[in-house]
């Protein structure tokens, strides 16, 4: 049975799937308590998006979701709105603010993805995803960020013998996923061989992963990359497959809009990686390899780096994707 939840509900009746301009948008604001899905006014609507802003609003999702109805809530069923976006959602479908518009790609329409991306970063509960790479004395080691927050994280470093590393050269990227920029990612508990799915991108992406379990960074990488998913490889320092690890992943289609460069190609330890055009400022390089090889960048340059590929037994790896 649906929990009774007090809310301000914005109902948007769309003429185009998942995108609208102000001239094409009809909406109504309802105040009070909805206790049954049949009371939602959807007659004549092709698509109805119900956006809930108040405390505990996630409780309505299962009860009113159905074909033609999309439900977006600021918090889950057990959270008060101090963890959510506290009213900002109402501005998102109406265009944002004068100095921060919701219509990211400038096509005159606001998709639900654009609206969500605009408001999600305003949530107190929203933290970036952090991807790391590390090396010591030119030799790649395993690394992983933990306890992610808006302005910090903890770092685990593990060598090929499973020992914690007190000092190493570390490179890291903290990012907020943006499907419109073709940069997405996630954090989850996963196991070796598990398939990770994501919204389909324009082409096969570059994928970088990190993993850790019980405070020890693991060797991880993506296999069978596709525009909508990949298979996960997770090994420990003995080369054994790992289940139930915390995994952070980043998927990107490098292009001029998002500013990323990258590739998926067979490479060997010690190889010089070079590209054009070069970055205008000193870049950060985060890498992963497959199957079960630690990867790190050494001697960063604006137009490339030297590649370190190390197997779980500490020996060099060659001809690795």
């Amino acid at each position: 049975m649906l929990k009774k939840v007090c809310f301000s509900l914005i109902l948007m009746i769309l003429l185009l799937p998942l995108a609208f301009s102000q001239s094409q948008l009809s909406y109504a604001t309802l105040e009070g308590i909805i206790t049954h899905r049949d009371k939602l006014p959807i007659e004549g609507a092709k698509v109805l998006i119900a956006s809930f802003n108040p405390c505990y609003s996630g409780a309505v999702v299962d009860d009113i979701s159905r074909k033609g109805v999309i439900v977006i809530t600021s918090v889950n069923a057990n959270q008060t709105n101090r963890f959510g976006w506290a009213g900002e959602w109402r501005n998102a479908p109406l265009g944002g603010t004068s100095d921060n518009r919701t219509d990211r790609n400038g096509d005159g329409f606001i998709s639900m993805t654009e609206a969500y991306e605009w408001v999600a970063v305003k949530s107190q509960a929203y933290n970036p995803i952090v991807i790391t790479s590390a090396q010591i004395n030119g030799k790649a080691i395993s690394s992983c960020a933990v306890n992610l927050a808006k302005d910090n994280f903890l770092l685990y470093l593990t060598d090929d013998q499973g020992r914690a590393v007190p000092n190493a050269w570390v490179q890291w990227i903290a990012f907020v996923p943006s499907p419109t920029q073709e940069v997405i990612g996630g954090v989850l508990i996963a196991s070796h061989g598990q398939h990770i799915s994501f919204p389909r991108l324009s082409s096969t992406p570059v994928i970088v992963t990190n993993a850790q379990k019980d405070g020890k960074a693991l060797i991880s990488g993506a296999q069978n990359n596709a525009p909508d998913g990949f298979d996960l490889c997770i090994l420990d320092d003995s080369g054994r497959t790992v289940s139930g690890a915390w995994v952070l992943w980043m998927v990107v289609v490098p292009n001029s809009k998002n500013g990323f460069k990258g590739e998926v190609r067979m490479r060997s330890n010690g190889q010089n990686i070079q590209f054009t055009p070069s970055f205008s400022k000193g870049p950060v390089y985060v890498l992963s390899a497959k199957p079960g090889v630690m990867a790190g960048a050494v001697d960063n340059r604006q137009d490339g780096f030297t590649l370190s590929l190390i197997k779980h037994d500490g020996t060099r790896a060659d001809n690795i994707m």
Side-chain angles (χ1 to χ4, degrees), residues 147-195:
N147 297 345
L148 306 184
K150 288 183 180 296
D151 60 356
N152 68 86
F153 60 91
L154 295 179
L155 181 66
Y156 288 160
L157 299 170
T158 305
D159 66 13
D160 54 79
Q161 298 184 48
R163 300 173 300 194
V165 177
N167 293 291
W169 285 101
V170 178
Q171 305 188 58
W172 56 271
I173 292 176
F175 69 99
V176 174
S178 175
T180 57
Q181 299 287 320
E182 297 204 286
V183 181
I184 58 179
V187 180
L188 77 163
I189 296 177
S191 300
H192 175 82
Q194 185 171 331
H195 184 74

Side-chain angles (χ1 to χ4, degrees), residues 6-7 19 28 31 51 63 66 91 104 129 178 201 211 217 227 230 256 270 288 305 308:
C6 296
F7 57 84
E31 302 287 345
S51 59
D63 292 84
R66 61 187 185 278
N91 295 323
R104 300 297 195 191
I129 297 168
S178 175
L201 300 173
F230 64 94
S256 58
S288 61
F305 56 91
S308 174

Side-chain angles (χ1 to χ4, degrees), residues 209-228:
T209 68
N210 294 147
Q212 63 89 11
K213 185 175 183 180
D214 300 328
K216 180 182 288 188
L218 301 168
I219 306 170
S220 70
Q223 301 183 88
N224 303 322
N225 294 14
D228 60 355

Side-chain angles (χ1 to χ4, degrees), residues 47-74:
V47 176
L48 181 133
I49 298 175
S51 59
F52 298 81
N53 190 67
C55 303
Y56 315 115
S57 54
V60 306
V61 173
D62 291 339
D63 292 84
I64 67 174
S65 294
R66 61 187 185 278
K67 184 177 180 180
V69 176
I70 298 170
V71 184
I72 302 172
T73 69
S74 65

Side-chain angles (χ1 to χ4, degrees), residues 126-131 173-178 183-186 249-251 260:
Y126 197 90
N127 294 320
I129 297 168
V130 178
I131 299 295
I173 292 176
F175 69 99
V176 174
S178 175
V183 181
I184 58 179
W249 55 274
M250 177 182 187
V251 173
F260 282 94

Side-chain angles (χ1 to χ4, degrees), residues 193-212:
Q194 185 171 331
H195 184 74
I196 308 298
S197 298
F198 48 80
R200 178 172 288 274
L201 300 173
S202 64
S203 61
T204 300
V206 175
I207 303 173
V208 182
T209 68
N210 294 147
Q212 63 89 11

